[in-house]
Amino acid sequence: MAEHKKVRKAVFPVAGLGTRFLPATKAVPKEMLTVVDKPIIQYVVDEALEAGIEHFVFVTGRNKHIIEDYFDIHFELEQTLRERSKKAEMTLLAGQLPKAGTVSFTRQQEPLGLGHAVWCAREIIGNEPFALLLPDMIMKSDTKGCMKGMIDLYAQSGGNIVAVEECAPDQAHKYGIVGVGDAIGDGFHITDMVEKPAKGTAPSNFFINGRYILQPEVFKILETQERGAGNEIQLTDGMLKLLKDQAFAGYHFQGTTYDCGAKDGFILANVAFALERADIRPTVEEGFKALVKTLG
Ligand code: G1P
């Protein structure tokens, strides 16, 4: 099997304004809203860590500095916990922190779209393949995480990989949709990509779920990418151009994805992850069952 260049770095676009979560997001970035007791961004960084990612690149914007503080040591807090012998809390904080020097921040100065946000990371990524994880989507899986599965497929296929899942046909217009070719590993060759297709025109029901492994040639394309759906510079349009020269595989993710960019997805994620926690499961389950009964 051919050796493919290792995927060492991951990009997290966190510049979005979070207008769907106002008023909370007036002062708190949507990526810092908590699912049970961890910010959304921590779930996504944990998924990247599990996949062996070594360097974490955040594309931020104004009002996002608390994300930077979150991935730093809080000296006074740790000192106080140490003095009070709060060992469990200290372990929690230590487990959350990437190693010194492995986190970078750059800013997307204008909200021009996902393609533009990714392009803003080009100098930090350099000439190597990279992972891209959209923090709106958090994933639950009984086996390996979505990005770990993609890295495993990448070991066989190389090239570019986009994680996909099936959606109801009437939901396809909300996402990037791929065209399906021959099978490869836990997925298939991608033949086409369309961002937010008009109703009835989607090439399949497989939507792009927010996880990517991309080759650095995408940056050159994004530099001149025209605006697409929603008058934004779309990553999907850039990837479609790259598809002319490079292979793309679709990794068929088998777990559950929660769209935490939407209120309903965020609430469901909280319930689903709370039910996995031994300390609160009994009371959450009891309360949840009682609530469901009231629905009749
Ligand atoms: C972005 C991508 C889209 C993808 C979606 C997944 O869209 O452009 O291809 O399906 O994320 O969440 P957005 O949600 O930013 O509109």
Side-chain angles (χ1 to χ4, degrees), residues 20 114 134 136-137 174-177 194-196 207-210 212 232 234-236 259:
R20 285 190 284 179
L114 178 60
L134 308 191
D136 274 356
M137 305 300 236
K174 294 184 181 168
Y175 299 105
I177 304 288
V194 191
E195 184 64 22
K196 305 197 169 63
F207 75 97
I208 299 172
N209 76 0
Y212 313 74
E232 293 189 338
Q234 294 291 352
L235 176 66
T236 308
D259 182 356

Side-chain angles (χ1 to χ4, degrees), residues 9 29 31 98 101 106 140 156 193 201 213 228 236 245 251 267:
K9 298 178 183 173
E31 299 80 11
T106 187
K140 217 155 79 57
Q156 299 170 43
M193 284 178 256
T201 66
I213 291 174
T236 308
D245 298 324
Y251 169 71
I267 288 163

Side-chain angles (χ1 to χ4, degrees), residues 115 119 218-227 233 238 241:
W119 178 74
V218 77
F219 291 127
K220 198 104 216 105
I221 295 174
L222 290 174
E223 198 165 317
T224 55
Q225 184 59 51
E226 292 137 31
R227 293 180 188 227
I233 299 172
K241 283 199 186 131

